[in-house]
Amino acid sequence: MADVQNSMKGKTIIITGASSGIGLEAALGLAKLGARIVMISRDKKRGLDAVEYVKINSGNKSIDLLLADLSSLKNVRKLASVIKRKYRRIDVLLNNAGGVFGKRAVTSDGFEWTFALDHLAPFLLTNLLLPVLKKSGHSRVVTVASTAHLMGHINFDDLMGEKKYGEMTAYAQAKLANILFASELSRRLKGTNVTSNSLHPGVVHTKFAQSGSAISSFFYNVFGFLMETPAQGARTSIYAASSPEMEGVTGKYLSARKITKPSAEALDEAVAKKLWDVSAKLVKI
């Protein structure tokens, strides 16, 4: 792993969901490598606290904060516009934000919340930032998925869980969508200097399930001591974003900083292409 001070100096890294958990620790780890970190947070206070935490613990003062509620496609578009206006280059886009929700809810766009936040938001943000990524040299798109994808299936007849909703069904589908998106993106970027990979961070004790059901909350509270810390969970994200070993590597799924084989459906190029086309229609690009 490229854990060398200043090995990322001069590079700009965008991290969504950066105010807590894995995103926060990834921001800290990459800041220690000298990169300029742009932390995306929904909440201003939490975001400012996170920026201060990273500055103090990394010694790196090049830490910026941008605010956006990524469940709203309008806000995703605004965020992309701000990023393109403020930054000439993006060396790494780390799509980390996500969540799981106990009761079915819809966003301001009318989409099921989990699918919107975990998949449609990074899908749209990445596509909007591709022009900057392409002109920045050897850039990387890293999308945080989960081993939960193994239980997932892309239900094109009920993507939004209108007919039947289950929190883990929705989450597993969204995490499978992350891998399919990252793989399809890598194919569409063939011939460019931009790579696209996805990863499983580990079973990490974070607050991501705080909006989930009583069952998921109980599980995280009671069995949390068996899980990895956010700092441990961020290692694969940091590796995918910064390691020289990942230079030029694309279309892969990582776990524990190693290339790993995902589920059969995650490798299905026809499903990936269909999901891309459906997603592009939903977000209107």
Side-chain angles (χ1 to χ4, degrees), residues 141-143 178-179 182-183 186 195-200 240 246 248-255 258-262 267:
V141 178
V142 179
T143 302
N178 289 154
I179 301 174
S183 298
S186 73
T195 61
S196 170
N197 296 292
S198 58
L199 63 91
H200 167 55
M246 290 300 294
V249 176
T250 191
K252 303 301 182 183
Y253 170 69
L254 289 80
S255 180
K258 294 180 181 178
I259 294 173
T260 306
K261 189 175 180 180
L267 295 170

Side-chain angles (χ1 to χ4, degrees), residues 22-73:
I22 296 168
L24 176 59
E25 294 302 329
L28 174 59
L30 292 165
K32 287 180 177 178
L33 300 181
R36 179 175 192 170
I37 309 295
V38 183
M39 302 174 69
I40 312 301
S41 174
R42 182 181 60 178
D43 182 87
K44 184 175 182 179
K45 183 181 185 307
R46 286 176 61 192
L48 290 172
D49 289 345
V51 166
E52 193 64 18
Y53 169 82
V54 172
K55 285 182 177 179
I56 291 172
N57 289 284
S58 68
N60 184 343
K61 302 304 180 185
S62 298
I63 314 297
D64 300 340
L65 174 67
L66 295 179
L67 300 175
D69 178 356
L70 298 179
S71 69
S72 162
L73 296 183

Side-chain angles (χ1 to χ4, degrees), residues 15 51 57 70 88 92 98 103 106 118 129 134 136 166 192 198 207-208 218 236 240 252 254 272:
I15 305 177
V51 166
N57 289 284
L70 298 179
R88 293 190 203 177
V92 181
K103 295 181 180 180
V106 296
D118 291 39
L129 295 180
K134 287 178 180 178
S136 298
T192 73
S198 58
K207 295 180 179 179
F208 97 103
F218 172 81
T236 303
K252 303 301 182 183
L254 289 80

Side-chain angles (χ1 to χ4, degrees), residues 11 20 36 58 62 70 96 188 192 194-195 219 278:
K11 297 186 181 296
S20 64
R36 179 175 192 170
S58 68
S62 298
L70 298 179
N96 169 79
R188 291 173 182 252
T192 73
V194 185
T195 61
F219 180 82
V278 169

Side-chain angles (χ1 to χ4, degrees), residues 115 152-157 159 172-174 176-177 180 265 271 275:
F115 193 76
H153 167 65
I154 304 298
N155 187 352
F156 288 107
D157 294 325
L159 278 177
Q173 176 182 247
L176 173 58
L180 290 163
E265 188 169 344
V271 174
L275 177 64

Side-chain angles (χ1 to χ4, degrees), residues 96-117:
N96 169 79
V100 58
F101 305 90
K103 295 181 180 180
R104 185 180 183 277
V106 296
T107 67
S108 57
D109 301 292
F111 300 132
E112 189 277 315
W113 210 289
T114 307
F115 193 76
L117 178 61

